[in-house]
Amino acid sequence: MMRMTETVKQLLIINIIFYIGSQFVSAAYPLFSLYFPENPNFRFWQPITSMFMHAPMPNLMHIAFNMFALVSFGSALEHFWGGKKFLFFYISCGLGAALLHVGFSYYEYNSALSALQEAKIPTDVINMIAKEGKYNQTITDLVPLSTLEQLFFSFNTPSVGASGAIYGLLTAFAFMFPNAELALLFIPVPIKAKYFVPGLIFLDLFLGFKGSSIFGSGGTGIAHFAHVGGAITGFIMMWYWKNNSFNNRRWN
């Protein structure tokens, strides 16, 4: 395993500080998680801070997996790029992830809002459903329960985690080292990065659409489109750098 590089080490420390601090400061999650822009808890800094937040205890797998991937793949990339280029790439992928996640949440929210408005539900009732999840049972005679849930969860569910940025790193790693073999505990056979990473992204894309209003079969509680957004951002940046000779000398 490659030695941990300096920028990766600093990112690891920041994530751990955020994680430990958020367990003791109750205001941390509403302040630093990424909320829907129309939610009163939304703050302009959340697209950045949310990538350093992770699911609270006792769920340790979220931060453990992300930090393991950060150290494993991030160190390899920083070794070749240098710290400035690596940090720019990492933050950009995290922001790309936030953008696609918010965009899809906006689509989900407005789809549900349109359905309620078409059913002639009063505006004050719609606002109560969105903000508090409260509604009269007779409303379900006019619109499906899934539409009410879609409105409420799109409006209120925050997003946390470095996963979007991590997916950008995975994409860059597969771009630079396509024949490197990767293995997971539940897959006994190593798979080349050029097959493993696209497969992982397409799985997220499938699960994201499967849990959306497009298919209406229920979500997984994971921000799949944030993963896809980070991967797409990473791919676009790698493609651009490759075709424009955007090399390390520009970061000195």
Side-chain angles (χ1 to χ4, degrees):
M1 185 175 178
M2 184 171 292
R3 180 184 63 85
M4 189 188 308
T5 50
E6 189 61 31
T7 306
V8 167
K9 184 189 298 183
Q10 298 303 322
L11 288 171
L12 178 65
I13 292 171
I14 293 171
N15 274 276
I16 292 174
I17 290 174
F18 265 71
Y19 185 73
I20 294 174
S22 64
Q23 309 308 308
F24 297 99
V25 181
S26 60
Y29 276 96
L31 192 61
F32 297 131
S33 303
L34 177 58
Y35 279 87
F36 186 69
E38 295 182 25
N39 188 295
N41 286 320
F42 177 77
R43 299 291 185 271
F44 69 88
W45 57 76
Q46 290 175 352
I48 290 286
T49 58
S50 62
M51 70 178 76
F52 297 103
M53 299 289 291
H54 287 85
M57 293 182 181
N59 185 357
L60 292 173
M61 289 304 296
H62 188 208
I63 187 171
F65 175 81
N66 281 345
M67 294 305 97
F68 175 78
L70 171 62
V71 173
S72 300
F73 298 101
S75 294
L77 295 172
E78 186 182 354
H79 175 77
F80 285 95
W81 288 345
K84 293 180 181 179
K85 184 176 179 180
F86 170 77
L87 184 61
F88 177 78
F89 182 87
Y90 182 87
I91 297 296
S92 297
C93 290
L95 291 175
L99 180 63
L100 187 59
H101 173 74
V102 170
F104 199 79
S105 295
Y106 189 82
Y107 164 78
E108 291 272 274
Y109 176 82
N110 282 279
S111 295
L113 180 63
S114 296
L116 290 166
Q117 289 173 339
E118 289 174 6
K120 308 298 183 184
I121 307 298
T123 301
D124 59 331
V125 175
I126 293 176
N127 289 336
M128 184 175 293
I129 295 170
K131 296 177 181 178
E132 302 177 31
K134 297 179 180 179
Y135 58 90
N136 192 303
Q137 291 295 331
T138 57
I139 293 179
T140 56
D141 295 331
L142 303 173
V143 293
L145 177 61
S146 59
T147 300
L148 307 182
E149 293 174 341
Q150 178 183 324
L151 185 79
F152 177 78
F153 287 115
S154 297
F155 188 82
N156 292 285
T157 305
S159 173
V160 296
S163 301
I166 296 300
Y167 268 66
L169 299 185
L170 287 171
T171 302
F173 185 87
F175 207 100
M176 293 180 64
F177 312 105
N179 293 313
E181 294 187 336
L182 306 177
L184 294 177
L185 293 176
F186 52 86
I187 302 179
V189 180
I191 304 174
K192 290 184 177 180
K194 62 183 177 182
Y195 303 125
F196 176 84
V197 174
L200 191 62
I201 295 167
F202 278 114
L203 177 62
D204 266 295
L205 192 62
F206 169 76
L207 293 174
F209 278 117
K210 184 175 183 292
S212 75
S213 61
I214 296 174
F215 295 105
S217 55
T220 61
I222 299 173
H224 293 289
F225 284 101
H227 298 173
V228 176
I232 291 174
T233 305
F235 178 83
I236 292 173
M237 292 179 70
M238 293 300 295
W239 178 85
Y240 180 82
W241 287 352
K242 179 182 178 181
N243 287 279
N244 290 274
S245 299
F246 209 61
N247 56 42
N248 288 331
R249 284 177 294 180
R250 301 194 182 189
W251 298 91
N252 292 335

